[in-house]
Structures are given as structure tokens and as C-alpha cells.
Amino acid sequence: MTDEVLVTHEDGIATITINRPDQRNAVNRAVSYGVCAAVDELDARDDLRVGILTGAGGTFCAGMDLKAFLRGEVTRVEGRGILGIAMTPPKKPLIAAVEGYALAGGFEAVLACDLLVAARDAKFGLPEAKRGLAAAAGGLLRLPRLLPPRIALELALTGEMVTAGRLDRYGLVNALVEPGEALAEAKRLARKIIANAPMSVAASKRVMVEQQDWTLEEMFARQAEITGHLLASEDAREGATAFAEKRVPEWKGR
């Protein structure tokens, strides 16, 4: 793991911090592969339940390091895109905690996350058109699914920044907080997820991500393939028993 990506594990939460504040946390090869490795560890370890992606020094991520790009450095993970999540997001929930700027690949990383906590003064944008590029790390694909199409098109075509408040009005932000509070609020949100059964969380995320491409005729059958095992699980019995006994469930993940 590179020192340009800091990772901490605490109470089931993996906090992944892009640590290049002097470069506004711009993404070079080391950052992409470092975040990718941390996300893979999140998925691989049973004791880790939720990931948080954030940036050091009051900025989330300014996108691809253009100086590294000009040097010929590949700033994406082969076959997986920027930060290793653009094309292959983790199976477990990933929360973006955004302070300052989330631009270009930084905004696209936010869109690859499942939930977003943003400071009120945070700013987002896809300025690729201003640089002769395109937001091909997921921005052009995910943004129209998450925002009204004309608003998504406006952001892609103008390359202008948009405030967290405006994105909140369109439903993209889960929690809008005071500056400096994004990470703390993301951890509170993570703890709410961790309180629930791990298999239920995993199945719920998978259905909600994959169902976008299901037809009406197949959707319930496809859902049953993913969620059918839950009813017979130990955790289902534990959830019902804990409710009846008015206590906190002790999840086994099976």
C-alpha cells in the first residue's frame, strides 16, 4: 500500500483516504492501485462491512493527475478504471465522504460509490470537455441514471461545477453537512448499515444495482435467485428472535 492512500479499519468500517493534499488528491497510478487494493480488501474480509472513500486536506479528489498523464503514466487500473472502482465497484457498500472539490475522475469515483455525504460548500463537476477529453470513467454512463437527464447533460457539456446543495435538491446526496463533518457523518451512516444483517445488505445492494437492466418478465425470478436464501438463513431466525426478545441481533452472516 502506498502512503498516497491511507487505510484504517475500525468497527467494521474501512476508511480509505486519498492522501495527496498538495496535489488536490489528483489521481496518479499509485493512488488508483492503492484505492483498488483497499477496496479489494474490504470485499475479501468478513470483519469489514462498509467502506468510506474520502480525501485528505479538505479536498476529495480533483480527478486525474494531468501532469502524470502528460508523462505517460497510466492513472487507471487495467480492466477496472480509475481507482479500480469505475468499472468494478465493490460488492459491499461504499460511501463517498466529500469535502471541497470532487471533479472529473473524482466526481466519477463519487458516482461509483453507493451513498454520498457532502459538505455544504463542496463542489462537483465533469470538466473533461474543457480539456479535450470525455468523462469516460463512468460519468457519462452513471450521471444520467442518477440525475434528471437534462441536468446530467448540462454538467457534461458545459464542464461547469455544481454545488452540493444543487445535487442535494436532485436527490444525489444522502446527507448534506457542515464543512469538516463529512467523514464523521459518513461513519454514522456506515454504523447504521453495519447494524443490519450482512447477507441482507449484500443481497439488497446486488439486486438494486443489477435490476436496472432486468425486464419486467424476469425481474422477480432474478431477484429470487439473489435473495431466496435469506428466508432460510440463521440470520433470519436471529432477526425475528431478537425482535421478539427486544434485544440487539447477533449476526452470523449465514
Side-chain angles (χ1 to χ4, degrees):
M1 187 70 66
T2 173
D3 59 4
E4 293 182 323
V5 176
L6 305 179
V7 182
T8 61
H9 300 150
E10 181 182 12
D11 299 328
I13 302 172
T15 302
I16 306 164
T17 304
I18 303 172
N19 186 41
R20 301 185 76 210
D22 57 326
Q23 301 294 324
R24 294 204 302 172
N25 295 324
V27 178
N28 58 9
R29 186 182 190 280
V31 167
S32 255
Y33 276 85
V35 171
C36 182
V39 167
D40 285 349
E41 185 177 19
L42 166 68
D43 270 346
R45 287 177 49 170
D46 291 339
D47 61 320
L48 298 176
R49 299 279 309 283
V50 178
I52 297 174
L53 181 62
T54 193
T59 292
F60 181 76
C61 176
M64 178 176 65
D65 186 332
L66 294 178
K67 293 179 181 178
F69 168 72
L70 291 174
R71 292 195 302 269
E73 187 172 322
V74 176
T75 60
R76 61 191 180 277
V77 177
E78 182 66 30
R80 300 180 60 174
I82 194 165
L83 303 181
I85 63 174
M87 297 167 63
T88 55
K91 296 177 182 178
K92 294 178 182 176
L94 185 62
I95 304 170
V98 176
E99 302 275 355
Y101 295 96
L103 303 176
F107 190 15
E108 291 173 297
V110 169
L111 299 175
C113 293
D114 302 294
L115 303 172
L116 168 59
V117 176
R120 293 183 184 278
D121 61 354
K123 290 182 172 62
F124 302 78
L126 296 175
E128 280 86 350
K130 293 177 178 287
R131 309 285 184 264
L133 302 169
L140 300 180
L141 300 174
R142 290 192 172 98
L143 205 59
R145 298 186 178 207
L146 297 169
L147 291 180
R150 289 181 183 270
I151 304 304
L153 195 57
E154 174 192 336
L155 297 185
L157 298 186
T158 67
E160 295 295 317
M161 290 187 289
V162 61
T163 64
R166 188 179 182 196
L167 293 183
D168 183 51
R169 291 194 294 275
Y170 291 124
L172 191 66
V173 180
N174 295 93
L176 195 63
V177 299
E178 296 304 316
E181 294 296 319
L183 181 56
E185 182 61 30
K187 288 183 177 180
R188 282 191 284 270
L189 184 56
R191 286 192 287 270
K192 292 179 181 179
I193 297 171
I194 290 171
N196 297 325
M199 290 198 306
S200 297
V201 169
S204 296
K205 172 177 174 174
R206 183 179 170 192
V207 169
M208 296 189 76
V209 169
E210 294 182 10
Q211 60 80 29
Q212 298 178 69
D213 300 315
W214 295 348
T215 66
L216 289 173
E217 292 76 16
E218 68 180 345
M219 60 171 49
F220 278 96
R222 295 284 295 274
Q223 177 178 255
E225 293 173 2
I226 297 170
T227 64
H229 67 289
L230 296 177
L231 192 61
S233 69
E234 289 185 35
D235 278 355
R237 294 189 60 83
E238 169 61 12
T241 301
F243 178 80
E245 296 177 352
K246 296 182 173 59
R247 61 174 175 81
V248 176
E250 297 180 7
W251 307 119
K252 304 297 185 184
R254 58 179 184 266

